[in-house]
Amino acid sequence: MNAPPRSDAQPLAPPAVPAAEPGPTPGASLDEARFVAWLRQVAPYIHAFRGKTFVIGVPGELIHAGHLNTLVQDLSLLHAMGMRIVVAHGSRPQVNEQLRLRGVEPHYAEGLRITDSAALECAKEASGEIRLDLEAAFSQGLPNTPMAHSAVRVVSGNLVTARPVGIVDGVDYQQTGLVRKIDVQTIRFALNSGAIVLLSPLGYSPTGEAFNLSMEDVAASTATALDADKLIVLTAEGGITDADATLLREISEADAKRLLAADALTADAAFTLRHALRACEGGVARAHIIPFGLDGSVLLELFQHDGVGTMLVEETLEALREAGPDDVGGLLALLRPLEEDGTLVRRDRGLIEREIGNFTVIEHDGVIFGCAALYAFPEERIGEMAALAVNPAVQGRGDGERLLRRIEQRARAAGLNRLFVLTTRTMHWFLKRGFVVASVDQLPKARQGLYNWQRKSLVLIKHL
Ligand SMILES: CC(C)(COP(=O)(O)OP(=O)(O)OC[C@H]1O[C@@H](n2cnc3c(N)ncnc32)[C@H](O)[C@@H]1OP(=O)(O)O)[C@@H](O)C(=O)NCCC(=O)NCCS
């Protein structure tokens, strides 16, 4: 029942008074107060991520576009904060450039490079050069730069065993390979000794041959083999978007499968997502796909609640899904105790039956453990999240957060740009999650008339 919230650092950055600017404290300027508030906000994430293993997929395109130095600075910072970092780099544009210089045409089949002996030489050359550039970048330590005092050691080597793709549908892919095995023991040893591990898209076979691999395969296979906490792949396109070009901030394995089956993604996005999905299916808790063109995107993804890319979440045994008629009994059983102690407003069976389509539920082995409902006011582009509840036996595991995320997703999909809740006892839970205090006259007109002045619920609103 371990359910992961979006930004997944369990302790969400909690501004005590979310809407307000930090006021200057005695002896501190406003800038100083903001800085201190900001640093304190990041602290829970640092605690949560210390000692965690992150595999970072760095495509050759990122290096080609000149983002290597800033990325290395950000990764050094993560390393300094105690995160265990493995970098898997790619080399596609660099190999193409080498081929161009030699006047050799690149060959592809089904989007995969056919690595003949000339292409393999180019791949070796490109990887060697990138490895040296990365090592040099991690070695910087000039004063007055983010790399001052960083002293990062980078370890690389023959850590990936490969096998040939072989002959598929009559096409001989020659020296193009797939990952067969990752030397987990040596990588762990290097990480334990405080080094960053660097993996090139080349693997070696027991016959002593080198094979050209994809960065995505190396990164996903390594994350799986290490049982990493995160796989983070940087791409030119960034996160996965839906048909309306809306960024999908969090998707499940089932969502990813649906997106891939619908065949609506670009070839590059589908390729990245397929590998991210493979990593999650292999036990990696979360796989992030983020844009490399956005300065600091790794930091923004990790240390901000909403992130800047798509987070693919490992499927747990429980299912988060929209409710159907069969769920009415389970919903009643979940909601009754909370209605009886006054936490939630009473809803009778008939009402729940009529409004079942508004509910999202979390089910585990046929039992409903959590729910929330969305009521849309399309004209005012606002929605109400109501009846948020998680079974007391499983509270505190992120299910409440998952339900909120799903309701936010449903609201965005319905064209809404704000979400409100009325609460008497759970104000702080919502404040921590981006809601701010509002007044009854900010509710949609139809809802104002139904406001229960005796209950005196607080109105909280979140911009989506
Ligand atoms: C509010 C509720 C849905 C949260 O569900 P959950 O699965 O426990 O939520 P999460 O695991 O995502 O979040 C747990 C965190 O919220 C905190 N929390 C739980 N209830 C809270 C409350 N009433 N006020 C403030 N914080 C609360 C927990 O202490 C925990 O904090 P931590 O992560 O710092 O330890 C659940 O507590 C519940 O069903 N409460 C009763 C019904 C209710 O109040 N619904 C809201 C009606 S508007």
mmCIF file of all heavy atoms in Angstrom, residues 10 32 36 43 77 90 97-98 100 152 170 186 194 206 214 223 232 238 247 278 281 304 321 330 333 346 412 457:
data_model
loop_
_atom_site.group_PDB
_atom_site.id
_atom_site.type_symbol
_atom_site.label_atom_id
_atom_site.label_comp_id
_atom_site.label_asym_id
_atom_site.label_seq_id
_atom_site.Cartn_x
_atom_site.Cartn_y
_atom_site.Cartn_z
ATOM 1 N N GLN A 10 8.379 12.674 1.021
ATOM 2 C CA GLN A 10 7.194 12.609 1.883
ATOM 3 C C GLN A 10 6.957 13.938 2.592
ATOM 4 O O GLN A 10 5.861 14.430 2.628
ATOM 5 C CB GLN A 10 7.316 11.468 2.894
ATOM 6 C CG GLN A 10 7.411 10.098 2.268
ATOM 7 C CD GLN A 10 6.154 9.699 1.556
ATOM 8 O OE1 GLN A 10 5.104 10.270 1.775
ATOM 9 N NE2 GLN A 10 6.242 8.723 0.694
ATOM 10 N N GLU A 32 17.079 38.560 2.772
ATOM 11 C CA GLU A 32 17.641 37.541 3.661
ATOM 12 C C GLU A 32 16.544 36.633 4.197
ATOM 13 O O GLU A 32 16.708 35.413 4.253
ATOM 14 C CB GLU A 32 18.397 38.219 4.816
ATOM 15 C CG GLU A 32 19.733 38.797 4.365
ATOM 16 C CD GLU A 32 20.334 39.750 5.387
ATOM 17 O OE1 GLU A 32 19.581 40.288 6.216
ATOM 18 O OE2 GLU A 32 21.548 39.961 5.319
ATOM 19 N N VAL A 36 16.300 32.597 3.640
ATOM 20 C CA VAL A 36 16.212 31.627 4.738
ATOM 21 C C VAL A 36 14.950 30.775 4.579
ATOM 22 O O VAL A 36 14.991 29.545 4.706
ATOM 23 C CB VAL A 36 16.233 32.353 6.109
ATOM 24 C CG1 VAL A 36 15.904 31.389 7.234
ATOM 25 C CG2 VAL A 36 17.598 32.998 6.336
ATOM 26 N N ALA A 43 14.830 21.947 2.746
ATOM 27 C CA ALA A 43 15.424 21.005 3.703
ATOM 28 C C ALA A 43 14.745 19.622 3.737
ATOM 29 O O ALA A 43 15.442 18.606 3.718
ATOM 30 C CB ALA A 43 15.457 21.636 5.090
ATOM 31 N N LEU A 77 26.038 19.251 -6.945
ATOM 32 C CA LEU A 77 25.297 19.714 -5.770
ATOM 33 C C LEU A 77 24.515 18.552 -5.147
ATOM 34 O O LEU A 77 24.538 18.344 -3.928
ATOM 35 C CB LEU A 77 24.349 20.840 -6.199
ATOM 36 C CG LEU A 77 23.500 21.479 -5.112
ATOM 37 C CD1 LEU A 77 24.364 22.108 -4.035
ATOM 38 C CD2 LEU A 77 22.582 22.542 -5.711
ATOM 39 N N GLY A 90 24.687 9.599 -23.529
ATOM 40 C CA GLY A 90 24.482 9.145 -24.900
ATOM 41 C C GLY A 90 25.485 9.812 -25.813
ATOM 42 O O GLY A 90 26.343 10.592 -25.354
ATOM 43 N N GLU A 97 28.177 13.122 -36.189
ATOM 44 C CA GLU A 97 29.161 14.119 -36.597
ATOM 45 C C GLU A 97 30.458 13.422 -37.047
ATOM 46 O O GLU A 97 31.045 13.771 -38.071
ATOM 47 C CB GLU A 97 29.417 15.056 -35.404
ATOM 48 C CG GLU A 97 30.459 16.137 -35.609
ATOM 49 C CD GLU A 97 30.092 17.137 -36.704
ATOM 50 O OE1 GLU A 97 28.921 17.145 -37.134
ATOM 51 O OE2 GLU A 97 31.003 17.867 -37.150
ATOM 52 N N GLN A 98 30.852 12.408 -36.287
ATOM 53 C CA GLN A 98 32.067 11.652 -36.655
ATOM 54 C C GLN A 98 31.883 10.973 -38.017
ATOM 55 O O GLN A 98 32.782 10.977 -38.849
ATOM 56 C CB GLN A 98 32.357 10.576 -35.605
ATOM 57 C CG GLN A 98 32.813 11.102 -34.261
ATOM 58 C CD GLN A 98 34.245 11.594 -34.316
ATOM 59 O OE1 GLN A 98 34.993 11.250 -35.242
ATOM 60 N NE2 GLN A 98 34.616 12.417 -33.357
ATOM 61 N N ARG A 100 29.900 11.926 -40.369
ATOM 62 C CA ARG A 100 29.882 12.974 -41.396
ATOM 63 C C ARG A 100 31.313 13.373 -41.761
ATOM 64 O O ARG A 100 31.667 13.494 -42.939
ATOM 65 C CB ARG A 100 29.096 14.177 -40.890
ATOM 66 C CG ARG A 100 28.682 15.172 -41.965
ATOM 67 C CD ARG A 100 28.026 16.410 -41.371
ATOM 68 N NE ARG A 100 28.913 17.122 -40.449
ATOM 69 C CZ ARG A 100 29.910 17.918 -40.816
ATOM 70 N NH1 ARG A 100 30.152 18.124 -42.089
ATOM 71 N NH2 ARG A 100 30.670 18.513 -39.915
ATOM 72 N N VAL A 152 34.657 16.198 -6.843
ATOM 73 C CA VAL A 152 33.895 14.994 -7.189
ATOM 74 C C VAL A 152 34.814 14.027 -7.936
ATOM 75 O O VAL A 152 35.512 14.423 -8.864
ATOM 76 C CB VAL A 152 32.699 15.347 -8.096
ATOM 77 C CG1 VAL A 152 31.912 14.098 -8.453
ATOM 78 C CG2 VAL A 152 31.795 16.372 -7.432
ATOM 79 N N GLY A 170 15.471 -10.010 -40.958
ATOM 80 C CA GLY A 170 16.411 -10.024 -42.082
ATOM 81 C C GLY A 170 17.451 -8.908 -42.042
ATOM 82 O O GLY A 170 18.336 -8.840 -42.897
ATOM 83 N N THR A 186 30.491 -3.584 -8.573
ATOM 84 C CA THR A 186 31.523 -2.549 -8.728
ATOM 85 C C THR A 186 30.904 -1.159 -8.661
ATOM 86 O O THR A 186 31.484 -0.243 -8.078
ATOM 87 C CB THR A 186 32.265 -2.751 -10.074
ATOM 88 O OG1 THR A 186 32.707 -4.096 -10.133
ATOM 89 C CG2 THR A 186 33.441 -1.819 -10.202
ATOM 90 N N GLY A 194 32.004 7.155 -2.453
ATOM 91 C CA GLY A 194 31.745 8.585 -2.634
ATOM 92 C C GLY A 194 31.926 9.078 -4.053
ATOM 93 O O GLY A 194 31.892 10.287 -4.293
ATOM 94 N N PRO A 206 31.568 -11.146 -23.675
ATOM 95 C CA PRO A 206 32.614 -12.064 -23.189
ATOM 96 C C PRO A 206 33.592 -12.442 -24.304
ATOM 97 O O PRO A 206 34.699 -12.912 -24.029
ATOM 98 C CB PRO A 206 31.824 -13.280 -22.713
ATOM 99 C CG PRO A 206 30.458 -12.756 -22.441
ATOM 100 C CD PRO A 206 30.224 -11.660 -23.414
ATOM 101 N N SER A 214 22.155 2.035 -26.626
ATOM 102 C CA SER A 214 21.468 3.325 -26.476
ATOM 103 C C SER A 214 21.609 3.760 -25.021
ATOM 104 O O SER A 214 21.608 2.924 -24.105
ATOM 105 C CB SER A 214 19.998 3.219 -26.877
ATOM 106 O OG SER A 214 19.257 2.586 -25.864
ATOM 107 N N ALA A 223 19.438 1.402 -13.663
ATOM 108 C CA ALA A 223 18.509 1.769 -12.588
ATOM 109 C C ALA A 223 17.829 0.517 -12.042
ATOM 110 O O ALA A 223 17.684 0.341 -10.832
ATOM 111 C CB ALA A 223 17.477 2.762 -13.110
ATOM 112 N N ILE A 232 16.227 9.374 -13.925
ATOM 113 C CA ILE A 232 15.876 10.711 -14.429
ATOM 114 C C ILE A 232 16.470 10.839 -15.824
ATOM 115 O O ILE A 232 17.686 10.783 -15.984
ATOM 116 C CB ILE A 232 16.439 11.816 -13.513
ATOM 117 C CG1 ILE A 232 15.889 11.656 -12.095
ATOM 118 C CG2 ILE A 232 16.119 13.200 -14.077
ATOM 119 C CD1 ILE A 232 16.489 12.596 -11.067
ATOM 120 N N GLY A 238 11.330 17.108 -23.244
ATOM 121 C CA GLY A 238 10.858 17.217 -21.862
ATOM 122 C C GLY A 238 9.746 16.222 -21.587
ATOM 123 O O GLY A 238 9.635 15.191 -22.260
ATOM 124 N N LEU A 247 1.082 19.134 -20.200
ATOM 125 C CA LEU A 247 2.103 18.289 -19.580
ATOM 126 C C LEU A 247 1.461 17.333 -18.583
ATOM 127 O O LEU A 247 0.691 17.749 -17.718
ATOM 128 C CB LEU A 247 3.128 19.179 -18.862
ATOM 129 C CG LEU A 247 4.221 18.452 -18.093
ATOM 130 C CD1 LEU A 247 5.126 17.669 -19.044
ATOM 131 C CD2 LEU A 247 5.041 19.441 -17.261
ATOM 132 N N ARG A 278 9.964 0.417 -18.515
ATOM 133 C CA ARG A 278 10.705 -0.821 -18.225
ATOM 134 C C ARG A 278 11.389 -0.717 -16.851
ATOM 135 O O ARG A 278 11.391 -1.675 -16.073
ATOM 136 C CB ARG A 278 11.741 -1.059 -19.333
ATOM 137 C CG ARG A 278 12.594 -2.283 -19.098
ATOM 138 C CD ARG A 278 13.204 -2.803 -20.378
ATOM 139 N NE ARG A 278 14.241 -1.954 -20.916
ATOM 140 C CZ ARG A 278 15.516 -1.964 -20.507
ATOM 141 N NH1 ARG A 278 15.884 -2.774 -19.544
ATOM 142 N NH2 ARG A 278 16.406 -1.174 -21.073
ATOM 143 N N GLU A 281 8.744 -1.054 -14.163
ATOM 144 C CA GLU A 281 8.305 -2.458 -14.084
ATOM 145 C C GLU A 281 9.382 -3.311 -13.425
ATOM 146 O O GLU A 281 9.094 -4.326 -12.811
ATOM 147 C CB GLU A 281 7.981 -2.984 -15.485
ATOM 148 C CG GLU A 281 6.667 -2.436 -16.001
ATOM 149 C CD GLU A 281 6.341 -2.864 -17.433
ATOM 150 O OE1 GLU A 281 7.287 -3.167 -18.208
ATOM 151 O OE2 GLU A 281 5.156 -2.872 -17.783
ATOM 152 N N GLN A 304 11.011 20.847 -6.157
ATOM 153 C CA GLN A 304 9.759 21.595 -6.200
ATOM 154 C C GLN A 304 8.607 20.618 -6.221
ATOM 155 O O GLN A 304 8.684 19.571 -6.867
ATOM 156 C CB GLN A 304 9.702 22.437 -7.468
ATOM 157 C CG GLN A 304 10.487 23.713 -7.332
ATOM 158 C CD GLN A 304 9.980 24.773 -8.282
ATOM 159 O OE1 GLN A 304 9.434 24.434 -9.328
ATOM 160 N NE2 GLN A 304 10.143 26.011 -7.926
ATOM 161 N N ARG A 321 -8.336 4.698 -9.449
ATOM 162 C CA ARG A 321 -9.175 4.678 -10.640
ATOM 163 C C ARG A 321 -10.472 5.433 -10.396
ATOM 164 O O ARG A 321 -10.815 5.747 -9.251
ATOM 165 C CB ARG A 321 -9.485 3.229 -11.055
ATOM 166 C CG ARG A 321 -10.163 2.447 -9.958
ATOM 167 C CD ARG A 321 -10.643 1.091 -10.438
ATOM 168 N NE ARG A 321 -11.184 0.301 -9.349
ATOM 169 C CZ ARG A 321 -12.376 0.470 -8.806
ATOM 170 N NH1 ARG A 321 -13.189 1.404 -9.260
ATOM 171 N NH2 ARG A 321 -12.788 -0.283 -7.813
ATOM 172 N N GLY A 330 -18.651 0.152 -0.937
ATOM 173 C CA GLY A 330 -17.323 0.406 -0.371
ATOM 174 C C GLY A 330 -17.156 1.863 0.016
ATOM 175 O O GLY A 330 -16.579 2.181 1.066
ATOM 176 N N ALA A 333 -19.033 2.554 3.246
ATOM 177 C CA ALA A 333 -18.320 2.009 4.407
ATOM 178 C C ALA A 333 -17.154 2.919 4.802
ATOM 179 O O ALA A 333 -16.854 3.096 5.984
ATOM 180 C CB ALA A 333 -17.808 0.602 4.084
ATOM 181 N N ARG A 346 -22.776 14.628 5.430
ATOM 182 C CA ARG A 346 -23.454 13.357 5.157
ATOM 183 C C ARG A 346 -23.942 13.273 3.700
ATOM 184 O O ARG A 346 -24.470 14.229 3.154
ATOM 185 C CB ARG A 346 -24.641 13.210 6.110
ATOM 186 C CG ARG A 346 -25.180 11.810 6.115
ATOM 187 C CD ARG A 346 -26.150 11.560 7.265
ATOM 188 N NE ARG A 346 -26.646 10.203 7.147
ATOM 189 C CZ ARG A 346 -26.024 9.148 7.652
ATOM 190 N NH1 ARG A 346 -24.917 9.287 8.332
ATOM 191 N NH2 ARG A 346 -26.517 7.932 7.489
ATOM 192 N N ARG A 412 -8.081 19.614 -14.524
ATOM 193 C CA ARG A 412 -7.392 20.229 -15.678
ATOM 194 C C ARG A 412 -7.974 19.684 -16.977
ATOM 195 O O ARG A 412 -8.224 20.429 -17.920
ATOM 196 C CB ARG A 412 -5.894 19.917 -15.629
ATOM 197 C CG ARG A 412 -5.144 20.803 -14.674
ATOM 198 C CD ARG A 412 -3.640 20.743 -14.947
ATOM 199 N NE ARG A 412 -2.923 21.147 -13.751
ATOM 200 C CZ ARG A 412 -2.437 20.323 -12.839
ATOM 201 N NH1 ARG A 412 -2.549 19.014 -12.997
ATOM 202 N NH2 ARG A 412 -1.827 20.773 -11.773
ATOM 203 N N SER A 457 -17.344 26.085 7.462
ATOM 204 C CA SER A 457 -16.146 25.482 6.859
ATOM 205 C C SER A 457 -15.250 26.576 6.307
ATOM 206 O O SER A 457 -15.722 27.607 5.849
ATOM 207 C CB SER A 457 -16.543 24.574 5.690
ATOM 208 O OG SER A 457 -17.441 23.598 6.131
#
